[in-house]
Every structure is written in structure tokens, then in C-alpha cells.
Amino acid sequence: MIIRESYLSKIRPFIGKDIIKVLTGIRRGGKSVLLEQIRDEINSPNTIFLNFEDLGNQHLCEYHSLHEYVCDKIGGSKETFYLFFDEIQEVQGWEKAINSLRVKFHADIYITGSNSQLLSGELATYIAGRYVSFTVYPFSFTEFKMVNPDYTFDQYIQYGGMPFLASIGFGTEFSKNYLQDIFHSVVLKDIVKRNNIRDVDLLERIIAYALANVGKSFSATSISKFFKSENRTVAPETILNYLKACEEAYLLYRLKSQDINGKKMLKVNEKYYVVDHGLREAIVGENLQNVEIVLENIVGLELLRRGYKVCVGRVGEKEIDFIGEKDGDKLYIQVCYLLNDESTIQREFGSLLEIRDNYPKIVLYKEGSFRGKFEGIPAVKIEDWL
């Protein structure tokens, strides 16, 4: 097990503060282990740790029961208690219990959840301004190399970064079965159940379409036309609702498109990326054959992991793969598999040279003989950048 220092360093300033720490992200993406690492670092005897996916805690999955249980544990103590609640969305009305415990005791509270709507609705009313959230992603390539220095970049391209893969040794069949299990767990628990979706087959077909077209511009209307070609009528509005449900479960990330020189967001050319490209391999397959779009997915998610606000860009008729914004600065990135021949070099660097500002620009590639810079813009191997 590795210590996920990139997250702990962000959380530490809030330890002991009267603010609820919320960890969100895809199911089995590492939230529970990170919660345990926070608990171990605090190392207090006054700790209550509950995982609500444990059937042994099912009797606490209602806010009155949870509140009564914690109150009994703390009793009349005036000391600080550290409360850790894993997969809190399983508790009906959980926000009422959390808010009451916050005001009733000297409690330092940490919660995790697998749906972005955890932080909407009633919660905003109960603890508005009293929580800080952190999105937890599957392992980066760097983190997986820390677990297993022999893990190759090609293995990462194929199987992705779901943390438990390290425990099963990356065997082809084991890995694929495990990733398929995660996919169906996310679909059934965090999408179907939460959104009361009846047509599960349609949902799975929409997800498969999105995974097959990672990094490509498409719309609900284009998906609707695709289904129509298969003699199935699906309204674009239904498709949009299903895609939104996938976003809320942290399965898909939708990146908007920006006109760089016009400095405005566009309503077209949005793209979807999957939280972990290993899930694409498990459902669609052929990650190593479709390596260029998988590399783009890897870079896009790494930018999000590093705290960038990310969108895709257009400059005139040319496309910029990613624009990352953080702390008032920007970073422009082009991603390609092979950076070798003159036409590819002109295409990848040419788009960046059209941008009329002085923010950093970079071309990332996997293979190729090109080295150094092209008119001041560096080219870096993706593996090294990761």
C-alpha cells in the first residue's frame, strides 16, 4: 500500500478544523484506503470509523440510528472525536445526522461518497460553507510505479490505474474480470439504483458508445441517430440524462470546448473521457489498438488529477487537445502517439503556434525520433511527463 501523499498534503491543513472533509470519486477508486490513511495519521483513540457498505452496519443506514449510535459512543465527553464515514450516501437522510453531530460535539468529520450529487440539494442547506471536498481518482502512472516498479507504461495503457490491480498481479484474465466487476458495480449501484433507471440495456449501450468514442466530439443527437440506424428510437433528452448520471457517478468526465482566440465557451465539440481507461479495455477492449485516444484519455485525467480545470480548445479550424487552467495560469497540450514524420510535426506544433498568448505549450507523444523543441515549443514523452 502506498501513502497517497498528493491527497494527504491537501487535506492536512483542514485536520482538526470545524469543517467537514468530503472525499468523492468513483467506487473502488481508493477513497476508503485514503480515509484509513487519514485516520492512521491522526492516530487518536477517540475515533469512530464506519463503512456503510459493510452489512454489519446496515442497521445504521438511517440518520436517526446513526446519530443515536455515535451519541452513545461519545457520551458526555468534551474531547475531540474523529468521525470517519465511508460511502455515506448509503445512509438515508445522512446530512441531518452529520450536521447534528457537527454542532453537538467537538467532532472532526470525514466522509466519502461515490456520487457528485452528495454535495447538492439538502446538504448545501444544512452545511453550506462548512465543508471542503476532494475528488479522489484511481492511481496515476507514478503511483502505480511506486506500488510496483516493474509496472510498464504499456500495462498502464491497457489496464489503467484501479488500485486493486496491484494486488492481483495484472494477470490478463484476472484484471479484465475485476474491471468488468467494477463497471457493473458502478452501473448498478451508482447509476441505475440512484436514478431509478429501468432500461439498463439502453444505459449500457450508451456507455459503450461513449467509451468507444472517448476523446471524440459527439452529441446526444448523433447517438440518437446511431441507435436509429439500429432500429431503436431513443430521444436525445434521454441520452443526455443517462450521460449526466454517468458523470454524477464519476464514470465519465465531460470537457467543454473553448474558442481560444475568441475567449468564449462553445456549445458544440464537447468530449467525454472515462475516469479510468482500464474500464474501457474491460468493456470495449482494444486499448492497445486504439492507443492514440487512450493516451489522450490518460493525459486529460492526469490534468484533472493535478488540479487543473480542463477543457478542449479550438483555434480557428484547428483543435487543441487540452487547455488546463490553475491559479490563473494556463497550459496548452497536444497529444499524439507517433511524433516522427514532418506532417505530424507540422500538425501537432502548428495548432499550438496559432495561439496568441505566452502561456506554456507542450506536445506529448509516446513514440518517435523527434527530440527537443519546435519553434520554442517542447516535445516530451508522455511516460516522462506522467
Side-chain angles (χ1 to χ4, degrees):
M1 181 178 73
I2 67 163
I3 302 300
R4 302 195 77 179
E5 180 60 33
S6 60
Y7 294 100
L8 290 172
S9 62
K10 296 174 184 175
I11 296 167
R12 281 192 192 100
F14 300 98
I15 291 177
K17 302 293 193 302
D18 182 23
I19 188 166
I20 298 167
K21 277 65 73 175
V22 183
L23 311 181
T24 59
I26 192 166
R27 189 176 294 273
R28 301 195 211 173
K31 301 186 302 297
S32 299
V33 172
L34 180 58
L35 203 64
E36 292 170 2
Q37 291 179 2
I38 298 168
R39 177 197 62 189
D40 293 346
E41 184 163 310
I42 293 172
N43 192 27
S44 169
N46 299 333
T47 294
I48 298 173
F49 194 110
L50 295 170
N51 184 335
F52 295 106
E53 289 195 314
D54 182 346
L55 285 176
N57 294 323
Q58 192 169 26
H59 64 293
L60 301 177
C61 290
E62 190 277 330
Y63 75 94
H64 287 107
S65 301
L66 174 60
H67 187 265
E68 183 178 349
Y69 174 86
V70 176
C71 287
D72 286 346
K73 286 285 187 180
I74 296 177
S77 175
K78 299 299 182 183
E79 296 181 2
T80 297
F81 268 73
Y82 298 89
L83 310 181
F84 298 87
F85 301 129
D86 199 8
E87 298 296 354
I88 192 70
Q89 77 276 349
E90 301 296 330
V91 178
Q92 183 181 2
W94 64 270
E95 53 271 69
K96 298 174 185 177
I98 295 298
N99 188 54
S100 178
L101 294 171
R102 186 189 66 80
V103 300
K104 189 178 181 70
F105 299 107
H106 293 289
D108 191 12
I109 302 174
Y110 302 79
I111 64 178
T112 78
S114 300
N115 195 285
S116 65
Q117 293 305 298
L118 195 73
L119 301 177
S120 67
E122 280 191 272
L123 177 60
T125 301
Y126 278 98
I127 57 172
R130 295 189 178 91
Y131 68 84
V132 59
S133 64
F134 307 89
T135 302
V136 180
Y137 298 91
F139 280 174
S140 65
F141 181 58
T142 295
E143 287 177 313
F144 244 129
K145 291 289 282 186
M146 291 169 65
V147 176
N148 183 351
D150 295 327
Y151 192 51
T152 68
F153 188 42
D154 282 338
Q155 283 179 298
Y156 188 68
I157 290 171
Q158 185 167 6
Y159 298 119
M162 297 305 290
F164 190 69
L165 287 177
S167 303
I168 56 179
F170 313 109
T172 301
E173 203 60 37
F174 287 127
S175 297
K176 189 166 185 176
N177 288 341
Y178 174 69
L179 291 167
Q180 287 174 341
D181 178 54
I182 291 178
F183 173 77
H184 291 297
S185 176
V186 170
V187 168
L188 292 174
K189 285 192 174 184
D190 296 326
I191 301 177
V192 173
K193 181 181 175 182
R194 187 174 182 89
N195 295 279
N196 298 314
I197 291 175
R198 296 180 180 177
D199 196 340
V200 179
D201 177 68
L202 175 62
L203 172 67
E204 290 185 339
R205 285 172 178 267
I206 291 172
I207 294 173
Y209 184 96
L211 294 181
N213 290 279
V214 156
K216 299 178 182 178
S217 299
F218 63 82
S219 65
T221 301
S222 64
I223 300 178
S224 180
K225 289 179 180 178
F226 169 76
F227 283 127
K228 191 173 183 178
S229 71
E230 296 191 333
N231 299 314
R232 184 164 188 172
T233 302
V234 185
E237 184 179 358
T238 300
I239 294 169
L240 281 175
N241 288 337
Y242 281 17
L243 288 171
K244 183 179 179 183
C246 292
E247 290 182 70
E248 291 173 354
Y250 295 100
L251 176 63
L252 297 178
Y253 284 80
R254 176 170 56 96
L255 299 188
K256 296 182 178 180
S257 181
Q258 180 180 347
D259 179 348
I260 297 172
N261 288 339
K263 298 182 180 179
K264 63 180 180 180
M265 300 305 293
L266 303 173
K267 295 183 179 180
V268 295
N269 299 317
E270 294 179 333
K271 296 183 178 183
Y272 286 85
Y273 294 88
V274 61
V275 65
D276 184 79
H277 53 283
L279 297 174
R280 183 189 186 278
E281 171 71 21
I283 304 307
V284 178
E286 300 184 343
N287 271 6
L288 294 177
Q289 285 73 33
N290 301 322
V291 65
E292 185 125 11
I293 63 174
V294 175
L295 292 173
E296 194 174 312
N297 199 106
I298 289 171
V299 171
L301 264 293
E302 181 67 15
L303 286 168
L304 292 172
R305 191 181 283 112
R306 294 181 183 184
Y308 284 93
K309 178 182 177 183
V310 187
C311 64
V312 297
R314 294 200 71 82
V315 51
E317 297 299 316
K318 296 180 179 179
E319 187 173 276
I320 306 299
D321 289 331
F322 297 110
I323 308 169
E325 294 189 47
K326 183 168 65 172
D327 301 329
D329 290 325
K330 291 183 180 181
L331 173 64
Y332 300 101
I333 293 181
Q334 289 289 80
V335 182
C336 66
Y337 172 69
L338 184 64
L339 191 61
N340 212 8
D341 63 88
E342 186 63 27
S343 62
T344 303
I345 292 170
Q346 290 293 336
R347 182 183 70 245
E348 300 299 339
F349 287 96
S351 297
L352 295 174
L353 289 168
E354 292 284 328
I355 302 171
R356 300 192 299 266
D357 65 36
N358 295 317
Y359 289 114
K361 303 167 182 67
I362 186 172
V363 172
L364 299 177
Y365 68 99
K366 185 179 187 294
E367 306 288 349
S369 58
F370 186 90
R371 296 292 183 273
K373 298 181 178 181
F374 182 87
E375 295 194 27
I377 298 175
V380 178
K381 293 196 76 171
I382 296 174
E383 185 174 346
D384 295 335
W385 180 79
L386 293 171

mmCIF file of all heavy atoms in Angstrom, residues 292-318:
data_model
loop_
_atom_site.group_PDB
_atom_site.id
_atom_site.type_symbol
_atom_site.label_atom_id
_atom_site.label_comp_id
_atom_site.label_asym_id
_atom_site.label_seq_id
_atom_site.Cartn_x
_atom_site.Cartn_y
_atom_site.Cartn_z
ATOM 1 N N GLU A 292 -3.985 5.879 -29.490
ATOM 2 C CA GLU A 292 -3.951 7.346 -29.532
ATOM 3 C C GLU A 292 -5.047 7.972 -28.667
ATOM 4 O O GLU A 292 -4.795 8.909 -27.908
ATOM 5 C CB GLU A 292 -4.070 7.841 -30.975
ATOM 6 C CG GLU A 292 -3.921 9.343 -31.100
ATOM 7 C CD GLU A 292 -2.836 9.761 -32.080
ATOM 8 O OE1 GLU A 292 -2.330 8.904 -32.831
ATOM 9 O OE2 GLU A 292 -2.494 10.953 -32.090
ATOM 10 N N ILE A 293 -6.280 7.437 -28.757
ATOM 11 C CA ILE A 293 -7.364 8.023 -27.952
ATOM 12 C C ILE A 293 -7.199 7.658 -26.478
ATOM 13 O O ILE A 293 -7.600 8.431 -25.603
ATOM 14 C CB ILE A 293 -8.763 7.623 -28.470
ATOM 15 C CG1 ILE A 293 -8.983 6.111 -28.369
ATOM 16 C CG2 ILE A 293 -8.982 8.100 -29.883
ATOM 17 C CD1 ILE A 293 -10.405 5.705 -28.730
ATOM 18 N N VAL A 294 -6.606 6.509 -26.201
ATOM 19 C CA VAL A 294 -6.354 6.131 -24.810
ATOM 20 C C VAL A 294 -5.298 7.044 -24.193
ATOM 21 O O VAL A 294 -5.413 7.476 -23.041
ATOM 22 C CB VAL A 294 -5.940 4.650 -24.702
ATOM 23 C CG1 VAL A 294 -5.562 4.296 -23.268
ATOM 24 C CG2 VAL A 294 -7.074 3.754 -25.183
ATOM 25 N N LEU A 295 -4.264 7.372 -24.959
ATOM 26 C CA LEU A 295 -3.251 8.311 -24.477
ATOM 27 C C LEU A 295 -3.877 9.665 -24.159
ATOM 28 O O LEU A 295 -3.541 10.298 -23.156
ATOM 29 C CB LEU A 295 -2.153 8.481 -25.525
ATOM 30 C CG LEU A 295 -1.249 7.271 -25.780
ATOM 31 C CD1 LEU A 295 -0.320 7.541 -26.959
ATOM 32 C CD2 LEU A 295 -0.439 6.914 -24.535
ATOM 33 N N GLU A 296 -4.784 10.097 -25.019
ATOM 34 C CA GLU A 296 -5.466 11.366 -24.782
ATOM 35 C C GLU A 296 -6.270 11.296 -23.488
ATOM 36 O O GLU A 296 -6.285 12.250 -22.699
ATOM 37 C CB GLU A 296 -6.384 11.671 -25.971
ATOM 38 C CG GLU A 296 -6.891 13.102 -26.001
ATOM 39 C CD GLU A 296 -7.671 13.409 -27.265
ATOM 40 O OE1 GLU A 296 -7.171 13.082 -28.367
ATOM 41 O OE2 GLU A 296 -8.776 13.969 -27.153
ATOM 42 N N ASN A 297 -6.944 10.163 -23.256
ATOM 43 C CA ASN A 297 -7.713 9.985 -22.023
ATOM 44 C C ASN A 297 -6.794 10.040 -20.803
ATOM 45 O O ASN A 297 -7.103 10.678 -19.790
ATOM 46 C CB ASN A 297 -8.443 8.650 -22.058
ATOM 47 C CG ASN A 297 -9.586 8.580 -21.068
ATOM 48 O OD1 ASN A 297 -10.749 8.640 -21.443
ATOM 49 N ND2 ASN A 297 -9.269 8.446 -19.783
ATOM 50 N N ILE A 298 -5.638 9.385 -20.902
ATOM 51 C CA ILE A 298 -4.679 9.362 -19.799
ATOM 52 C C ILE A 298 -4.224 10.781 -19.450
ATOM 53 O O ILE A 298 -4.182 11.171 -18.275
ATOM 54 C CB ILE A 298 -3.460 8.483 -20.163
ATOM 55 C CG1 ILE A 298 -3.863 7.009 -20.180
ATOM 56 C CG2 ILE A 298 -2.302 8.708 -19.187
ATOM 57 C CD1 ILE A 298 -2.793 6.087 -20.738
ATOM 58 N N VAL A 299 -3.899 11.578 -20.468
ATOM 59 C CA VAL A 299 -3.415 12.944 -20.234
ATOM 60 C C VAL A 299 -4.525 13.815 -19.657
ATOM 61 O O VAL A 299 -4.306 14.588 -18.717
ATOM 62 C CB VAL A 299 -2.850 13.550 -21.531
ATOM 63 C CG1 VAL A 299 -2.548 15.036 -21.347
ATOM 64 C CG2 VAL A 299 -1.597 12.805 -21.965
ATOM 65 N N GLY A 300 -5.739 13.708 -20.211
ATOM 66 C CA GLY A 300 -6.853 14.511 -19.720
ATOM 67 C C GLY A 300 -7.140 14.254 -18.256
ATOM 68 O O GLY A 300 -7.328 15.191 -17.464
ATOM 69 N N LEU A 301 -7.168 12.977 -17.861
ATOM 70 C CA LEU A 301 -7.442 12.644 -16.455
ATOM 71 C C LEU A 301 -6.286 13.031 -15.552
ATOM 72 O O LEU A 301 -6.493 13.418 -14.402
ATOM 73 C CB LEU A 301 -7.754 11.159 -16.322
ATOM 74 C CG LEU A 301 -9.240 10.787 -16.330
ATOM 75 C CD1 LEU A 301 -9.948 11.319 -15.073
ATOM 76 C CD2 LEU A 301 -9.955 11.303 -17.567
ATOM 77 N N GLU A 302 -5.057 12.970 -16.070
ATOM 78 C CA GLU A 302 -3.908 13.387 -15.264
ATOM 79 C C GLU A 302 -3.961 14.887 -14.972
ATOM 80 O O GLU A 302 -3.627 15.323 -13.861
ATOM 81 C CB GLU A 302 -2.601 13.026 -15.971
ATOM 82 C CG GLU A 302 -1.340 13.400 -15.198
ATOM 83 C CD GLU A 302 -1.150 12.600 -13.919
ATOM 84 O OE1 GLU A 302 -1.821 11.568 -13.745
ATOM 85 O OE2 GLU A 302 -0.322 13.032 -13.091
ATOM 86 N N LEU A 303 -4.408 15.660 -15.940
ATOM 87 C CA LEU A 303 -4.565 17.102 -15.697
ATOM 88 C C LEU A 303 -5.593 17.349 -14.594
ATOM 89 O O LEU A 303 -5.384 18.188 -13.705
ATOM 90 C CB LEU A 303 -4.983 17.809 -16.990
ATOM 91 C CG LEU A 303 -3.889 17.988 -18.044
ATOM 92 C CD1 LEU A 303 -4.501 18.434 -19.368
ATOM 93 C CD2 LEU A 303 -2.839 18.992 -17.580
ATOM 94 N N LEU A 304 -6.720 16.640 -14.638
ATOM 95 C CA LEU A 304 -7.723 16.766 -13.578
ATOM 96 C C LEU A 304 -7.127 16.335 -12.237
ATOM 97 O O LEU A 304 -7.332 16.990 -11.213
ATOM 98 C CB LEU A 304 -8.949 15.916 -13.906
ATOM 99 C CG LEU A 304 -9.799 16.374 -15.091
ATOM 100 C CD1 LEU A 304 -10.862 15.330 -15.427
ATOM 101 C CD2 LEU A 304 -10.469 17.719 -14.794
ATOM 102 N N ARG A 305 -6.379 15.251 -12.252
ATOM 103 C CA ARG A 305 -5.756 14.736 -11.029
ATOM 104 C C ARG A 305 -4.797 15.773 -10.438
ATOM 105 O O ARG A 305 -4.668 15.874 -9.207
ATOM 106 C CB ARG A 305 -5.014 13.439 -11.365
ATOM 107 C CG ARG A 305 -4.529 12.650 -10.164
ATOM 108 C CD ARG A 305 -3.790 11.390 -10.607
ATOM 109 N NE ARG A 305 -4.702 10.338 -11.032
ATOM 110 C CZ ARG A 305 -4.823 9.913 -12.279
ATOM 111 N NH1 ARG A 305 -4.095 10.454 -13.254
ATOM 112 N NH2 ARG A 305 -5.659 8.941 -12.594
ATOM 113 N N ARG A 306 -4.141 16.536 -11.302
ATOM 114 C CA ARG A 306 -3.184 17.551 -10.830
ATOM 115 C C ARG A 306 -3.855 18.878 -10.474
ATOM 116 O O ARG A 306 -3.174 19.848 -10.155
ATOM 117 C CB ARG A 306 -2.113 17.782 -11.903
ATOM 118 C CG ARG A 306 -1.232 16.562 -12.131
ATOM 119 C CD ARG A 306 -0.154 16.812 -13.183
ATOM 120 N NE ARG A 306 0.637 15.599 -13.444
ATOM 121 C CZ ARG A 306 1.685 15.556 -14.247
ATOM 122 N NH1 ARG A 306 2.096 16.652 -14.871
ATOM 123 N NH2 ARG A 306 2.334 14.415 -14.446
ATOM 124 N N GLY A 307 -5.165 18.895 -10.515
ATOM 125 C CA GLY A 307 -5.893 20.070 -10.034
ATOM 126 C C GLY A 307 -6.214 21.117 -11.073
ATOM 127 O O GLY A 307 -6.633 22.226 -10.731
ATOM 128 N N TYR A 308 -6.043 20.790 -12.349
ATOM 129 C CA TYR A 308 -6.375 21.743 -13.400
ATOM 130 C C TYR A 308 -7.870 21.732 -13.695
ATOM 131 O O TYR A 308 -8.519 20.680 -13.627
ATOM 132 C CB TYR A 308 -5.627 21.400 -14.699
ATOM 133 C CG TYR A 308 -4.170 21.767 -14.702
ATOM 134 C CD1 TYR A 308 -3.198 20.850 -14.317
ATOM 135 C CD2 TYR A 308 -3.753 23.036 -15.113
ATOM 136 C CE1 TYR A 308 -1.847 21.177 -14.336
ATOM 137 C CE2 TYR A 308 -2.408 23.373 -15.132
ATOM 138 C CZ TYR A 308 -1.469 22.440 -14.744
ATOM 139 O OH TYR A 308 -0.138 22.778 -14.761
ATOM 140 N N LYS A 309 -8.396 22.867 -14.045
ATOM 141 C CA LYS A 309 -9.698 22.949 -14.684
ATOM 142 C C LYS A 309 -9.425 22.739 -16.174
ATOM 143 O O LYS A 309 -8.625 23.448 -16.770
ATOM 144 C CB LYS A 309 -10.330 24.320 -14.449
ATOM 145 C CG LYS A 309 -11.680 24.503 -15.119
ATOM 146 C CD LYS A 309 -12.217 25.906 -14.882
ATOM 147 C CE LYS A 309 -13.533 26.109 -15.623
ATOM 148 N NZ LYS A 309 -14.054 27.500 -15.461
ATOM 149 N N VAL A 310 -10.080 21.739 -16.781
ATOM 150 C CA VAL A 310 -9.680 21.294 -18.105
ATOM 151 C C VAL A 310 -10.809 21.452 -19.113
ATOM 152 O O VAL A 310 -11.970 21.177 -18.820
ATOM 153 C CB VAL A 310 -9.240 19.806 -18.081
ATOM 154 C CG1 VAL A 310 -8.663 19.393 -19.428
ATOM 155 C CG2 VAL A 310 -8.218 19.568 -16.972
ATOM 156 N N CYS A 311 -10.466 21.903 -20.298
ATOM 157 C CA CYS A 311 -11.406 21.916 -21.417
ATOM 158 C C CYS A 311 -10.631 21.605 -22.692
ATOM 159 O O CYS A 311 -9.392 21.553 -22.685
ATOM 160 C CB CYS A 311 -12.143 23.250 -21.526
ATOM 161 S SG CYS A 311 -11.097 24.665 -21.892
ATOM 162 N N VAL A 312 -11.350 21.365 -23.766
ATOM 163 C CA VAL A 312 -10.703 21.189 -25.070
ATOM 164 C C VAL A 312 -10.791 22.513 -25.813
ATOM 165 O O VAL A 312 -11.642 23.351 -25.505
ATOM 166 C CB VAL A 312 -11.365 20.050 -25.872
ATOM 167 C CG1 VAL A 312 -11.200 18.732 -25.136
ATOM 168 C CG2 VAL A 312 -12.839 20.316 -26.129
ATOM 169 N N GLY A 313 -9.912 22.724 -26.774
ATOM 170 C CA GLY A 313 -9.836 24.039 -27.392
ATOM 171 C C GLY A 313 -9.925 24.017 -28.902
ATOM 172 O O GLY A 313 -9.639 23.004 -29.545
ATOM 173 N N ARG A 314 -10.322 25.148 -29.435
ATOM 174 C CA ARG A 314 -10.285 25.357 -30.876
ATOM 175 C C ARG A 314 -9.639 26.705 -31.151
ATOM 176 O O ARG A 314 -9.877 27.685 -30.451
ATOM 177 C CB ARG A 314 -11.694 25.338 -31.477
ATOM 178 C CG ARG A 314 -12.380 23.993 -31.388
ATOM 179 C CD ARG A 314 -13.512 23.858 -32.382
ATOM 180 N NE ARG A 314 -13.030 23.749 -33.760
ATOM 181 C CZ ARG A 314 -12.598 22.618 -34.301
ATOM 182 N NH1 ARG A 314 -12.560 21.508 -33.591
ATOM 183 N NH2 ARG A 314 -12.180 22.592 -35.557
ATOM 184 N N VAL A 315 -8.793 26.729 -32.171
ATOM 185 C CA VAL A 315 -8.206 27.973 -32.616
ATOM 186 C C VAL A 315 -8.377 27.998 -34.131
ATOM 187 O O VAL A 315 -7.711 27.262 -34.852
ATOM 188 C CB VAL A 315 -6.727 28.106 -32.166
ATOM 189 C CG1 VAL A 315 -5.914 26.893 -32.531
ATOM 190 C CG2 VAL A 315 -6.098 29.383 -32.683
ATOM 191 N N GLY A 316 -9.323 28.786 -34.581
ATOM 192 C CA GLY A 316 -9.695 28.750 -35.993
ATOM 193 C C GLY A 316 -10.305 27.399 -36.319
ATOM 194 O O GLY A 316 -11.224 26.936 -35.645
ATOM 195 N N GLU A 317 -9.766 26.745 -37.330
ATOM 196 C CA GLU A 317 -10.250 25.408 -37.699
ATOM 197 C C GLU A 317 -9.450 24.297 -37.027
ATOM 198 O O GLU A 317 -9.730 23.121 -37.228
ATOM 199 C CB GLU A 317 -10.171 25.237 -39.233
ATOM 200 C CG GLU A 317 -11.059 26.197 -40.012
ATOM 201 C CD GLU A 317 -12.532 26.010 -39.666
ATOM 202 O OE1 GLU A 317 -12.969 24.840 -39.585
ATOM 203 O OE2 GLU A 317 -13.224 27.016 -39.452
ATOM 204 N N LYS A 318 -8.476 24.668 -36.223
ATOM 205 C CA LYS A 318 -7.611 23.663 -35.612
ATOM 206 C C LYS A 318 -8.039 23.368 -34.174
ATOM 207 O O LYS A 318 -8.618 24.207 -33.491
ATOM 208 C CB LYS A 318 -6.157 24.148 -35.642
ATOM 209 C CG LYS A 318 -5.615 24.307 -37.062
ATOM 210 C CD LYS A 318 -4.187 24.790 -37.070
ATOM 211 C CE LYS A 318 -3.665 24.926 -38.509
ATOM 212 N NZ LYS A 318 -2.279 25.426 -38.549
#
